[in-house]
Amino acid sequence: MKFLVIDDSATMRRIVVNSLKRIGYEDCVEAHDGAAGLAAFDSSVGFVITDWNMPNMSGLDFVKALRASGDGKGVPVLMVTTRSVKEDIVLAAQAGVNNYVVKPFTPQVLKEKIDQALGAVAGKA
Amino acid sequence: MSAPSDRSGLALHDSEATLRQVESALDEFSGSAGLLSFEEMVTDLEGHPAGLRDLVKLLIGTYTEIMAVIESLRQSRGLLEQAAMDRLKSTHEKLAEVSSATEVAAAGMLDGLDRALGLVDELASDGPDGSPSPDVPSASAGRTETADQLREELHQIMNLLQFQDITSQQLGYASGVLMDIEERMMRLVRVFDLQKVGMDELRDVLGEDRSEPGPRTQAQETCDPDASTLEAEERQALADEVFTSS
């Protein structure tokens, strides 16, 4: 499965991609903000992992735009962010995020949330 | 060492004490004029040389202006305290957390590297050409296990580097607060001719009605003011609760 990893921090992108490879997902494309993420997204992407706070287009705006597009309506989206205020988490859920990981995370938590998001999307299909 | 916000608070407290002293001295000055009101003083000077009357009027005018400035200073002091103190305090806490997170991550990485070096030593002891040492039974299985442990240690070290993103956001927030306060102070200096601008503009400069900084810069958009390396499990549990119930 192809992952799209969006984060303005190059360090975090490397850590997420490394964690994905460790749990068996080798195919990853990266983007440095929401706008670049939208440009990089196509029907070949099977899972999106996005940060929230980014320049140009935030992760929240990215998810809203993605959900409004044809190909992006059903793709699982995991938000990986430092934002942990309840109102923010609720906003993310309302925007169409399938699961949520608070930084700093462990690879185990990342895997657990990816599996849950994939399971939920498969259940709906 | 006291926190910057404590020192700022003390400075503001001292400024209030200074204002009181100046006000008291001016009150004494007006009182020493023989318990006459200013109007009575001017009336009492009827018949005196015009130059003396003008001088007294000038002094009274100056006194009134100084009192108005003192009142403005007192109001601006209160507004400054309201606008800056809380945010300076949270900024100080963020910077302290950056220092702590850096130390914790560095210690974690050093511990991991120590363990990794021990594992490398174990691997090296198996044989110079990578072949199992004859005096180590089941050396091949042991090497695989050691290599797995080593891989785990190196992955953990990599994960510890998440602190860089989080502390970067904390520093970005702190920088934004300091720049915002600097900007307000500069505007305050420029508009401090209170005879011209009045308190309404002063309130606008000091942001009395705003708990947030002024217009957000791109740097601020990339920063989460609540970013933290602390209590990660509790914060994850809150997210799980929201997503489980939704």
Side-chain angles (χ1 to χ4, degrees), chain B residues 13-175:
Chain B
H13 182 267
D14 288 348
S15 69
E16 172 62 21
T18 305
L19 288 176
R20 281 201 192 121
Q21 280 180 352
V22 173
E23 194 175 32
S24 169
L26 287 169
D27 279 346
E28 279 180 28
F29 159 75
S30 65
S32 68
L35 300 175
L36 294 175
S37 68
F38 290 141
E39 291 76 14
E40 289 170 330
M41 285 169 67
V42 174
T43 308
D44 200 45
L45 285 169
E46 292 298 330
H48 286 77
L52 181 59
R53 288 202 305 273
D54 290 344
L55 178 60
V56 170
K57 283 178 184 172
L58 177 69
L59 285 173
I60 291 170
T62 306
Y63 170 84
T64 308
E65 266 189 40
I66 291 174
M67 291 303 283
V69 169
I70 286 176
E71 182 53 30
S72 297
L73 282 171
R74 178 169 284 128
Q75 289 187 44
S76 64
R77 175 197 161 279
L79 292 174
L80 182 62
E81 183 171 40
Q82 195 176 20
M85 286 302 101
D86 286 349
R87 293 176 58 215
L88 280 175
K89 185 168 182 291
S90 71
T91 302
H92 175 67
E93 287 167 358
K94 289 283 172 207
L95 292 177
E97 197 187 321
V98 168
S99 173
S100 169
T102 309
E103 192 177 352
V104 168
M109 282 188 272
L110 287 171
D111 289 346
L113 288 171
D114 275 346
R115 290 191 294 269
L117 286 171
L119 294 168
V120 169
D121 289 344
E122 257 183 61
L123 284 172
S125 71
D126 277 351
D129 59 352
S131 60
S133 172
D135 56 348
V136 180
S138 307
S140 183
R143 282 168 65 84
T144 305
E145 188 182 331
T146 306
D148 287 345
Q149 287 175 12
L150 183 55
R151 194 176 293 113
E152 176 67 23
E153 289 293 353
L154 295 175
H155 278 299
Q156 280 186 18
I157 292 170
M158 186 170 272
N159 276 309
L160 283 169
L161 292 170
Q162 287 181 69
F163 85 94
Q164 191 275 333
D165 175 47
I166 296 166
T167 54
S168 164
Q169 293 191 51
Q170 291 170 326
L171 289 173
Y173 169 76
S175 171

Side-chain angles (χ1 to χ4, degrees), chain A residues 22 82 102-103 105 113, chain B residues 152 155 162 165 224 236 240:
Chain A
R22 201 175 157 204
T82 55
V102 177
K103 295 177 186 173
F105 62 88
K113 303 308 170 194
Chain B
E152 176 67 23
H155 278 299
Q162 287 181 69
D165 175 47
D224 170 16
Q236 181 61 54
D240 291 347

Side-chain angles (χ1 to χ4, degrees), chain A residues 36-58:
Chain A
L38 272 185
F41 181 82
D42 60 31
S43 58
S44 70
V45 173
F47 201 106
V48 176
I49 295 179
T50 182
D51 183 22
W52 185 317
N53 288 88
M54 293 183 288
N56 302 322
M57 180 187 273
S58 73

Side-chain angles (χ1 to χ4, degrees), chain A:
Chain A
M1 187 191 320
K2 185 171 169 183
F3 278 70
L4 171 60
V5 178
I6 311 168
D7 199 309
D8 57 327
S9 161
T11 304
M12 281 309 302
R13 288 201 306 272
R14 283 184 66 176
I15 291 171
V16 171
V17 168
N18 181 271
S19 298
L20 288 172
K21 286 181 176 169
R22 201 175 157 204
I23 56 180
Y25 298 111
E26 296 279 343
D27 191 5
C28 299
V29 287
E30 300 178 30
H32 57 82
D33 62 30
L38 272 185
F41 181 82
D42 60 31
S43 58
S44 70
V45 173
F47 201 106
V48 176
I49 295 179
T50 182
D51 183 22
W52 185 317
N53 288 88
M54 293 183 288
N56 302 322
M57 180 187 273
S58 73
L60 192 71
D61 289 339
F62 163 80
V63 175
K64 288 176 183 170
L66 185 71
R67 292 308 189 209
S69 72
D71 286 340
K73 280 193 169 70
V75 68
V77 176
L78 178 66
M79 188 162 264
V80 180
T81 174
T82 55
R83 297 178 82 114
S84 55
V85 178
K86 188 169 185 177
E87 289 73 19
D88 287 342
I89 301 168
V90 170
L91 269 181
Q94 289 169 346
V97 167
N98 297 94
N99 218 329
Y100 200 95
V101 170
V102 177
K103 295 177 186 173
F105 62 88
T106 63
Q108 290 76 22
V109 168
L110 188 69
K111 182 179 186 318
E112 183 187 314
K113 303 308 170 194
I114 289 171
D115 290 346
Q116 284 174 2
L118 285 172
V121 171
K124 281 180 190 170

